[in-house]
Amino acid sequence: MNRFWMIFSALIVAATMAFAQVPGSVVITEVMYDDTASTDLEWVELHNTTGTAIDLSDWVLVDDSVYPADGGEGAIQIPAGTSIAAGAYLVISRDFTEIPGAVQCTQITASWILGNSGDNLALYTAATGGTLIDGSLTVFFPDLAGTNLGNSIEKCDPNAPWTSDVAAWHESTNQYATTGRYRHCTPGFANSPCADLIPPTISYCLALSNTAVDVLFSENVEQSSAENVDNYSLNPGGYTPSLAQRDPVNFALVHLTFDLLPNNSYTLFANDVLDLFGNPAIDVTCEFTVNVTVAPGDVVITEIMYDDTETTDAEWVEIHNTTNNPIDISGWVLTDDDVYPGNGGEGVIEVPAGTILAANGFAILCRVDLPEINDEVICTPLIGSWTLGNNGDNLALFTAASGGMLVDGSLSVNYPDLAFSNAGNSIEKCDYTSGYSGDPADWTETKVLFASSGRYRHITPHTQGFCCPDPAFGTIELIVAGPPTWAYRLVHVAGCIDKVIFTNFCTGTTGSVDGEVLNAGWSVLPDGDGNDGDSIIFVAATPLNAGSLDGFQLNHPWCSDFVNWTAGGNSGTVDGPLPVELNGFSAVAGNGEVLLNWSTASESGLDKFELRRDGLLIAQVDARNNASGASYNYTDGGLVNGQMYSYELSVLSLNGDRDVLAVLSATPNANNSVVTEFALYQNYPNPFNPSTSIRFDLAEASDVTLSVYNISGQLVAELVNGQLNAGAHSVNFDGANLSSGVYLYRLTAGSFAAQSKMVLLK
């Protein structure tokens, strides 16, 4: 049975394609008879005017004056298996035209060449004994295309039969290519429109809202005149649109936008709107009606300031238009009374006339002027004293002082008391489109920082914050391990996290923000810099209420261990800078030896320092664990002059953890001992970033200190502190942990003392 129906269906399709051979089922719609070259590559476009595919196998197109063609002129034959889809266009030609989808036909009689001053064309279903489908043996197409311009001529009506009437054709206006044989044509698709002398009319107008009106013209209109707002007006009222936009797809459709149209019936007048051929519309009209109604929930109460930082509150309420239409709220009232109309038991304020609440917009309603807030609506006191209770109060929004509709709120249900007394924080809806509720879970105390001083600290007037239900929880992850910088990620778990605290790190650690944290407005509290060793505190201008933030940083050039963190109600431990702060490490090369010096600013929980030369342990030095730090030195002797050695300084803590603090290299040299006087040389390079070399000469063995100070005289590094042999010496200084500026370095060796300046330029 399935096989039968498949065969039957195929026969039906074949029969449909075979028997759709009636005059007018396929028409000639476009002729390219003169391209840009001296030897033409000519073609003709056919159009299937039916709703069924048609088989064109072996059809012929002749420009001869007889049929069958006798060779006086020419005929071409369409290859077997060629069909044209329902409603489709197809290009046929004798030559390869380079047009996508074009069918190259077989020359069967003489030479098929179209005359550049007009010619006849006739389409038959066979070379002999066929049916004339379109065209003529005697009637010529009109000569409309300029010589060698590469422009085709097209039918104005793509379904019309063959004609020589010049008004039925036009030279194509569609730019097909800027170079090549064919410049203006529409091969294989719908023709470009023909010019007319008839001005556009209006088919209909439709009010989509009280601000949006669509106007459909009778034909495509020119964009500039269609988008000129002065070309439209409404009666009654004399309204003109604030914006006119032609539809990007349907060029006959224009979208008009008005500020606000009251409910009414209107007549729209359009003038000087042009069609695509320059014909202007003159006093064309259409009629439409605007009928926009307000329903409960179209406007909702979203934020309440009932307790600012002053003893006498300046209270206000934020409302939100949940619709896509502006709403005229003139004469609406906001009451905290328990009856309607208000009886003076509490208070009612009225919205001034002419107040429009924008589509999806917010507005602030208040009783007095609020200097801190822009664009508030100051309402008129009607009844009693509109004063909101600091322990919660009811609020109700009606469309009129009496006989109005309750749009949002309640005469009996109080908003919840969530904001701390006199903290200057508002409360706001978690779902800013939902109706009034007294459930604390539906509200949140605003966490967004509005101002650091003044009446209002945390509010979001004219916009929506985010919901921050308690408790707040976050976690901290290490994403970059130092030294010198440890970077952390805050991952949101619940609530709104507006503070992150780090503790238990070595003195001198500082905090900084970068990346996402910096962009989100977080900062480090001025007294939370870690210099007193107690805490580093990050605070948010806008808390994290979802996702994560990267860029919390602890900075220290040497030490690393575990620090404690707190994020909301969570706490834990993570890798960070602890427990030794290294002031400096130097390797001073002498004759067959290298003096290693290091000093710390603080120490705690240490076992010993370890020195390695080229990876081999050469010394262990017991740590002194002084809270204020200590100085150490070790002389590595018996070395080969001229050979570079690499030295690594590490620390071993009492709990067995080992951390590398610094790595330097030095090359002993016999010439280091051949000097006759003490000298301190200018560092090189200078300025430097971040390291430089300091050279000095010792005329005799001496106790030496080489220290670096900032411009205020504070010690920032001690590079050498110990006995050195006579000779030339060089010490590397790394300023990676310092800020740009001028620094002093001072050398003392016995009774000799000298100092010089250097510039760190980052």
PDB file of all heavy atoms in Angstrom, residues 370-389:
ATOM      1  N   LEU A 370      13.649  66.967  49.107  1.00  0.00           N
ATOM      2  CA  LEU A 370      14.768  66.116  49.518  1.00  0.00           C
ATOM      3  C   LEU A 370      16.014  66.563  48.756  1.00  0.00           C
ATOM      4  O   LEU A 370      16.229  66.145  47.612  1.00  0.00           O
ATOM      5  CB  LEU A 370      14.470  64.642  49.208  1.00  0.00           C
ATOM      6  CG  LEU A 370      13.141  64.092  49.728  1.00  0.00           C
ATOM      7  CD1 LEU A 370      12.918  62.683  49.209  1.00  0.00           C
ATOM      8  CD2 LEU A 370      13.106  64.120  51.251  1.00  0.00           C
ATOM      9  N   PRO A 371      16.846  67.416  49.337  1.00  0.00           N
ATOM     10  CA  PRO A 371      18.004  67.947  48.598  1.00  0.00           C
ATOM     11  C   PRO A 371      18.969  66.863  48.126  1.00  0.00           C
ATOM     12  O   PRO A 371      19.656  67.034  47.120  1.00  0.00           O
ATOM     13  CB  PRO A 371      18.678  68.876  49.631  1.00  0.00           C
ATOM     14  CG  PRO A 371      17.607  69.199  50.615  1.00  0.00           C
ATOM     15  CD  PRO A 371      16.729  67.993  50.686  1.00  0.00           C
ATOM     16  N   GLU A 372      19.021  65.738  48.835  1.00  0.00           N
ATOM     17  CA  GLU A 372      19.977  64.690  48.474  1.00  0.00           C
ATOM     18  C   GLU A 372      19.519  63.861  47.279  1.00  0.00           C
ATOM     19  O   GLU A 372      20.321  63.148  46.669  1.00  0.00           O
ATOM     20  CB  GLU A 372      20.206  63.743  49.664  1.00  0.00           C
ATOM     21  CG  GLU A 372      20.755  64.414  50.907  1.00  0.00           C
ATOM     22  CD  GLU A 372      19.660  64.882  51.854  1.00  0.00           C
ATOM     23  OE1 GLU A 372      18.503  65.032  51.395  1.00  0.00           O
ATOM     24  OE2 GLU A 372      19.959  65.098  53.034  1.00  0.00           O
ATOM     25  N   ILE A 373      18.240  63.916  46.938  1.00  0.00           N
ATOM     26  CA  ILE A 373      17.679  63.040  45.915  1.00  0.00           C
ATOM     27  C   ILE A 373      17.161  63.884  44.753  1.00  0.00           C
ATOM     28  O   ILE A 373      16.471  64.883  44.965  1.00  0.00           O
ATOM     29  CB  ILE A 373      16.552  62.167  46.492  1.00  0.00           C
ATOM     30  CG1 ILE A 373      17.126  61.246  47.573  1.00  0.00           C
ATOM     31  CG2 ILE A 373      15.880  61.340  45.403  1.00  0.00           C
ATOM     32  CD1 ILE A 373      16.095  60.392  48.261  1.00  0.00           C
ATOM     33  N   ASN A 374      17.495  63.481  43.544  1.00  0.00           N
ATOM     34  CA  ASN A 374      17.070  64.205  42.350  1.00  0.00           C
ATOM     35  C   ASN A 374      15.713  63.699  41.859  1.00  0.00           C
ATOM     36  O   ASN A 374      15.390  62.525  41.997  1.00  0.00           O
ATOM     37  CB  ASN A 374      18.100  64.041  41.233  1.00  0.00           C
ATOM     38  CG  ASN A 374      19.450  64.643  41.601  1.00  0.00           C
ATOM     39  OD1 ASN A 374      19.515  65.682  42.245  1.00  0.00           O
ATOM     40  ND2 ASN A 374      20.520  63.984  41.176  1.00  0.00           N
ATOM     41  N   ASP A 375      14.954  64.618  41.271  1.00  0.00           N
ATOM     42  CA  ASP A 375      13.716  64.279  40.559  1.00  0.00           C
ATOM     43  C   ASP A 375      12.671  63.621  41.446  1.00  0.00           C
ATOM     44  O   ASP A 375      11.878  62.804  40.981  1.00  0.00           O
ATOM     45  CB  ASP A 375      14.026  63.359  39.367  1.00  0.00           C
ATOM     46  CG  ASP A 375      14.975  64.008  38.378  1.00  0.00           C
ATOM     47  OD1 ASP A 375      14.864  65.225  38.165  1.00  0.00           O
ATOM     48  OD2 ASP A 375      15.833  63.283  37.837  1.00  0.00           O
ATOM     49  N   GLU A 376      12.647  63.984  42.732  1.00  0.00           N
ATOM     50  CA  GLU A 376      11.562  63.468  43.551  1.00  0.00           C
ATOM     51  C   GLU A 376      10.275  64.242  43.243  1.00  0.00           C
ATOM     52  O   GLU A 376      10.312  65.356  42.729  1.00  0.00           O
ATOM     53  CB  GLU A 376      11.902  63.563  45.045  1.00  0.00           C
ATOM     54  CG  GLU A 376      11.829  64.979  45.628  1.00  0.00           C
ATOM     55  CD  GLU A 376      13.135  65.752  45.506  1.00  0.00           C
ATOM     56  OE1 GLU A 376      13.847  65.527  44.519  1.00  0.00           O
ATOM     57  OE2 GLU A 376      13.412  66.591  46.369  1.00  0.00           O
ATOM     58  N   VAL A 377       9.145  63.601  43.533  1.00  0.00           N
ATOM     59  CA  VAL A 377       7.848  64.245  43.349  1.00  0.00           C
ATOM     60  C   VAL A 377       7.360  64.696  44.718  1.00  0.00           C
ATOM     61  O   VAL A 377       7.085  63.860  45.593  1.00  0.00           O
ATOM     62  CB  VAL A 377       6.835  63.274  42.705  1.00  0.00           C
ATOM     63  CG1 VAL A 377       5.474  63.948  42.568  1.00  0.00           C
ATOM     64  CG2 VAL A 377       7.343  62.810  41.345  1.00  0.00           C
ATOM     65  N   ILE A 378       7.275  65.998  44.921  1.00  0.00           N
ATOM     66  CA  ILE A 378       6.828  66.539  46.212  1.00  0.00           C
ATOM     67  C   ILE A 378       5.306  66.606  46.192  1.00  0.00           C
ATOM     68  O   ILE A 378       4.709  67.325  45.385  1.00  0.00           O
ATOM     69  CB  ILE A 378       7.439  67.925  46.470  1.00  0.00           C
ATOM     70  CG1 ILE A 378       8.968  67.842  46.407  1.00  0.00           C
ATOM     71  CG2 ILE A 378       6.969  68.473  47.814  1.00  0.00           C
ATOM     72  CD1 ILE A 378       9.659  69.180  46.502  1.00  0.00           C
ATOM     73  N   CYS A 379       4.688  65.853  47.060  1.00  0.00           N
ATOM     74  CA  CYS A 379       3.223  65.729  47.076  1.00  0.00           C
ATOM     75  C   CYS A 379       2.603  66.710  48.074  1.00  0.00           C
ATOM     76  O   CYS A 379       3.259  67.180  49.015  1.00  0.00           O
ATOM     77  CB  CYS A 379       2.829  64.299  47.437  1.00  0.00           C
ATOM     78  SG  CYS A 379       3.455  63.073  46.261  1.00  0.00           S
ATOM     79  N   THR A 380       1.333  66.976  47.877  1.00  0.00           N
ATOM     80  CA  THR A 380       0.609  67.932  48.721  1.00  0.00           C
ATOM     81  C   THR A 380      -0.046  67.201  49.892  1.00  0.00           C
ATOM     82  O   THR A 380      -0.789  66.230  49.682  1.00  0.00           O
ATOM     83  CB  THR A 380      -0.484  68.636  47.903  1.00  0.00           C
ATOM     84  OG1 THR A 380       0.107  69.257  46.774  1.00  0.00           O
ATOM     85  CG2 THR A 380      -1.205  69.671  48.754  1.00  0.00           C
ATOM     86  N   PRO A 381       0.221  67.624  51.157  1.00  0.00           N
ATOM     87  CA  PRO A 381      -0.484  67.012  52.295  1.00  0.00           C
ATOM     88  C   PRO A 381      -1.979  67.315  52.211  1.00  0.00           C
ATOM     89  O   PRO A 381      -2.384  68.460  52.037  1.00  0.00           O
ATOM     90  CB  PRO A 381       0.155  67.682  53.513  1.00  0.00           C
ATOM     91  CG  PRO A 381       1.453  68.231  53.016  1.00  0.00           C
ATOM     92  CD  PRO A 381       1.232  68.592  51.589  1.00  0.00           C
ATOM     93  N   LEU A 382      -2.794  66.266  52.287  1.00  0.00           N
ATOM     94  CA  LEU A 382      -4.250  66.447  52.209  1.00  0.00           C
ATOM     95  C   LEU A 382      -4.914  66.330  53.569  1.00  0.00           C
ATOM     96  O   LEU A 382      -5.739  67.166  53.947  1.00  0.00           O
ATOM     97  CB  LEU A 382      -4.861  65.402  51.270  1.00  0.00           C
ATOM     98  CG  LEU A 382      -4.683  65.592  49.767  1.00  0.00           C
ATOM     99  CD1 LEU A 382      -5.473  64.524  49.029  1.00  0.00           C
ATOM    100  CD2 LEU A 382      -5.140  66.967  49.327  1.00  0.00           C
ATOM    101  N   ILE A 383      -4.560  65.253  54.269  1.00  0.00           N
ATOM    102  CA  ILE A 383      -5.239  64.955  55.527  1.00  0.00           C
ATOM    103  C   ILE A 383      -4.194  64.543  56.550  1.00  0.00           C
ATOM    104  O   ILE A 383      -3.302  63.739  56.256  1.00  0.00           O
ATOM    105  CB  ILE A 383      -6.262  63.813  55.357  1.00  0.00           C
ATOM    106  CG1 ILE A 383      -7.314  64.179  54.297  1.00  0.00           C
ATOM    107  CG2 ILE A 383      -6.953  63.490  56.680  1.00  0.00           C
ATOM    108  CD1 ILE A 383      -8.241  63.048  53.955  1.00  0.00           C
ATOM    109  N   GLY A 384      -4.298  65.073  57.762  1.00  0.00           N
ATOM    110  CA  GLY A 384      -3.461  64.643  58.869  1.00  0.00           C
ATOM    111  C   GLY A 384      -1.974  64.842  58.603  1.00  0.00           C
ATOM    112  O   GLY A 384      -1.548  65.686  57.811  1.00  0.00           O
ATOM    113  N   SER A 385      -1.167  64.022  59.263  1.00  0.00           N
ATOM    114  CA  SER A 385       0.288  64.122  59.165  1.00  0.00           C
ATOM    115  C   SER A 385       0.829  62.818  58.614  1.00  0.00           C
ATOM    116  O   SER A 385       0.780  61.783  59.284  1.00  0.00           O
ATOM    117  CB  SER A 385       0.895  64.416  60.543  1.00  0.00           C
ATOM    118  OG  SER A 385       2.305  64.458  60.464  1.00  0.00           O
ATOM    119  N   TRP A 386       1.312  62.877  57.376  1.00  0.00           N
ATOM    120  CA  TRP A 386       1.846  61.680  56.720  1.00  0.00           C
ATOM    121  C   TRP A 386       3.233  61.395  57.292  1.00  0.00           C
ATOM    122  O   TRP A 386       4.237  61.952  56.863  1.00  0.00           O
ATOM    123  CB  TRP A 386       1.893  61.896  55.211  1.00  0.00           C
ATOM    124  CG  TRP A 386       2.227  60.655  54.427  1.00  0.00           C
ATOM    125  CD1 TRP A 386       1.383  59.649  54.094  1.00  0.00           C
ATOM    126  CD2 TRP A 386       3.499  60.311  53.883  1.00  0.00           C
ATOM    127  NE1 TRP A 386       2.048  58.693  53.369  1.00  0.00           N
ATOM    128  CE2 TRP A 386       3.355  59.068  53.225  1.00  0.00           C
ATOM    129  CE3 TRP A 386       4.752  60.908  53.882  1.00  0.00           C
ATOM    130  CZ2 TRP A 386       4.403  58.430  52.572  1.00  0.00           C
ATOM    131  CZ3 TRP A 386       5.797  60.283  53.240  1.00  0.00           C
ATOM    132  CH2 TRP A 386       5.630  59.048  52.594  1.00  0.00           C
ATOM    133  N   THR A 387       3.293  60.546  58.327  1.00  0.00           N
ATOM    134  CA  THR A 387       4.547  60.210  59.008  1.00  0.00           C
ATOM    135  C   THR A 387       4.600  58.704  59.172  1.00  0.00           C
ATOM    136  O   THR A 387       3.695  58.108  59.772  1.00  0.00           O
ATOM    137  CB  THR A 387       4.629  60.886  60.392  1.00  0.00           C
ATOM    138  OG1 THR A 387       4.492  62.301  60.229  1.00  0.00           O
ATOM    139  CG2 THR A 387       5.971  60.587  61.054  1.00  0.00           C
ATOM    140  N   LEU A 388       5.635  58.091  58.663  1.00  0.00           N
ATOM    141  CA  LEU A 388       5.727  56.636  58.682  1.00  0.00           C
ATOM    142  C   LEU A 388       6.283  56.141  60.006  1.00  0.00           C
ATOM    143  O   LEU A 388       7.246  56.707  60.546  1.00  0.00           O
ATOM    144  CB  LEU A 388       6.612  56.146  57.529  1.00  0.00           C
ATOM    145  CG  LEU A 388       6.151  56.573  56.123  1.00  0.00           C
ATOM    146  CD1 LEU A 388       7.076  55.999  55.063  1.00  0.00           C
ATOM    147  CD2 LEU A 388       4.719  56.156  55.876  1.00  0.00           C
ATOM    148  N   GLY A 389       5.702  55.068  60.517  1.00  0.00           N
ATOM    149  CA  GLY A 389       6.149  54.509  61.783  1.00  0.00           C
ATOM    150  C   GLY A 389       7.469  53.767  61.635  1.00  0.00           C
ATOM    151  O   GLY A 389       7.664  52.991  60.686  1.00  0.00           O
TER     152      GLY A 389
END
